[in-house]
Amino acid sequence: MARAGPPIGITMGDAAGIGPEIIAKLFAQGLPYHGVVYGDAGVLQSTLRRLGLDAMLRIQELDSPAGGTAAPGVVPVINRWLPLPADLPPGRLNAQAGRGAYEYLCQAIDDAGRGLLRAIVTAPLNKEAMQAGGADYPGHTEILAERTGTEHYAMMLANPELRVILATIHTALANVSALITPDTELNTIRLAHKACLQAGVAAPRVAVAGLNPHAGENGRFGLEEVQVIGPAIEQARREGIDASGPWPGDTVFMRARRGEFDIVVAQYHDQGLIPVKYLGVDHGVNVTVGLPFVRTSVDHGTAFDIAGQGIADPSSLRAAYDLALAMTPGRD
């Protein structure tokens, strides 16, 4: 396990979900570069015992990411919040676990902002549990943006076949049209271009999906494409970005998957996430673009229905870890 720079921070997410299990399995696989877990040491230790991994992995509790041991078999853990109950039941909504997920994330954000982490990789949280614990946010993305003071940010979903970035994220469908503004659209196109460069694409080709059926068909099915999306694409092109569209949403993702484009700008949550998740969540990664550091995440939820059963698949977490490593070259 290499250690020549700050570790990758891995947040546990909701400890009542599958986060502790997939983190334990990730460390059991072996990591090419050292990481540190932000979460509850007691929960992680009981998870190791339940999975039969306690003979090969040991917990090392830390106050700072700089003090960890980069060695096989060691799982460094940081928790500056309260310990969770020893009898925390897996698979059940718990306000303390929800609050813990928020606190672990905030600790990692603060350390990354101080340059103590190479990147952040997040396991899933449960929004209802987090809100029951007093942290009222729609999800990871909004917490990351608020705590870092980031004004222009976007959510990107990626797998080996497709990259999609969202112009709007967690909002009711009825509100989307009003949120599709010239600034929002242009900033999302810029972030799409930046995300591809970070991922190693030398000359990114950015496709922009329309909001309406058939991309509005020249105003017949809506004016957003004519009045907002099209002009934003033209401005992006004047800035040197290879942006095109607006393309009909029912075909643009297929074209990107075939290799015509490197990334698609989707206008709302489900327009972009359905095609990515249809291809499978096992290797999907969620990336928050625009932050002062790299943040990647699994492309699935807490999976309370299988938590504690030892059958959770760590593939998405591994993909998120690998992508975080790839997007931060030269930092080791």
Side-chain angles (χ1 to χ4, degrees), residues 291-330:
L291 298 173
F293 49 78
V294 169
R295 176 262 176 168
T296 65
S297 182
V298 295
D299 188 22
H300 58 71
T302 48
F304 279 172
D305 57 324
I306 63 169
Q309 299 179 31
I311 58 175
D313 186 348
S315 297
S316 184
L317 183 64
R318 182 64 194 227
Y321 167 89
D322 289 342
L323 183 58
L325 203 57
M327 291 180 70
T328 53

Side-chain angles (χ1 to χ4, degrees), residues 127 155-159 162-170 253 264 266-281 285-286 298-300:
K127 296 165 191 174
M155 177 191 294
M156 181 180 80
L157 276 292
N159 61 32
L162 191 61
R163 294 185 192 91
V164 174
I165 193 166
L166 304 180
T168 64
I169 307 177
H170 298 120
F253 301 100
V264 178
Q267 300 303 325
Y268 57 93
H269 187 278
D270 284 14
Q271 182 189 52
L273 268 59
I274 287 173
V276 175
K277 294 192 175 186
Y278 179 77
L279 295 173
V281 299
V285 179
N286 183 332
V298 295
D299 188 22
H300 58 71

Side-chain angles (χ1 to χ4, degrees), residues 30-299:
L31 302 178
Y33 186 86
H34 65 131
V36 59
V37 178
Y38 287 77
D40 190 89
V43 169
L44 197 52
Q45 183 63 60
S46 65
T47 302
L48 294 178
R49 283 196 298 269
R50 187 172 63 249
L51 296 174
L53 297 174
D54 51 330
M56 66 178 295
L57 296 174
R58 67 178 178 86
I59 304 296
Q60 180 188 33
E61 296 189 58
L62 304 174
D63 295 322
S64 167
T69 301
V74 176
V75 184
V77 180
I78 293 174
N79 182 13
R80 306 186 189 108
W81 191 61
L82 302 172
L84 293 175
D87 59 349
L88 180 74
R92 297 184 188 176
L93 192 144
N94 183 285
Q96 289 175 282
R99 181 71 189 201
Y102 170 76
E103 297 292 343
Y104 310 146
L105 177 62
C106 289
Q107 293 166 21
I109 292 169
D110 292 347
D111 282 352
R114 290 193 289 265
L116 300 178
L117 296 177
R118 173 170 174 158
I120 295 177
V121 177
T122 60
L125 54 75
N126 182 281
K127 296 165 191 174
E128 186 178 356
M130 184 174 65
Q131 290 165 0
D136 191 8
Y137 292 89
H140 276 107
T141 306
E142 291 79 5
I143 300 170
L144 285 151
E146 179 182 281
R147 200 162 184 93
T148 59
T150 302
E151 182 179 359
H152 301 304
Y153 61 92
M155 177 191 294
M156 181 180 80
L157 276 292
N159 61 32
E161 298 181 77
L162 191 61
R163 294 185 192 91
V164 174
I165 193 166
L166 304 180
T168 64
I169 307 177
H170 298 120
T171 190
L173 189 58
N175 300 332
V176 170
S177 179
L179 295 174
I180 302 296
T181 66
D183 284 346
T184 296
E185 202 68 25
L186 181 57
N187 285 324
T188 306
I189 295 170
R190 289 168 175 160
L191 289 170
H193 179 76
K194 177 182 178 180
C196 287
L197 292 175
Q198 283 185 306
V201 180
R205 298 162 298 168
V206 181
V208 182
L211 174 65
N212 298 295
H214 301 178
E217 210 167 274
N218 295 318
R220 178 177 296 181
F221 302 133
L223 296 173
E224 288 85 357
E225 288 80 6
V226 175
Q227 296 179 347
V228 180
I229 300 173
I233 293 170
E234 291 305 313
Q235 176 58 35
R237 291 184 66 83
R238 286 193 289 269
E239 295 177 8
I241 297 173
D242 183 4
S244 64
W247 301 110
D250 58 356
T251 56
V252 67
F253 301 100
M254 175 184 64
R255 294 174 63 188
R257 188 185 180 197
R258 288 194 310 224
E260 290 185 51
F261 310 115
D262 297 300
I263 190 168
V264 178
V265 174
Q267 300 303 325
Y268 57 93
H269 187 278
D270 284 14
Q271 182 189 52
L273 268 59
I274 287 173
V276 175
K277 294 192 175 186
Y278 179 77
L279 295 173
V281 299
D282 290 350
H283 298 284
V285 179
N286 183 332
V287 183
T288 306
V289 184
L291 298 173
F293 49 78
V294 169
R295 176 262 176 168
T296 65
S297 182
V298 295
D299 188 22

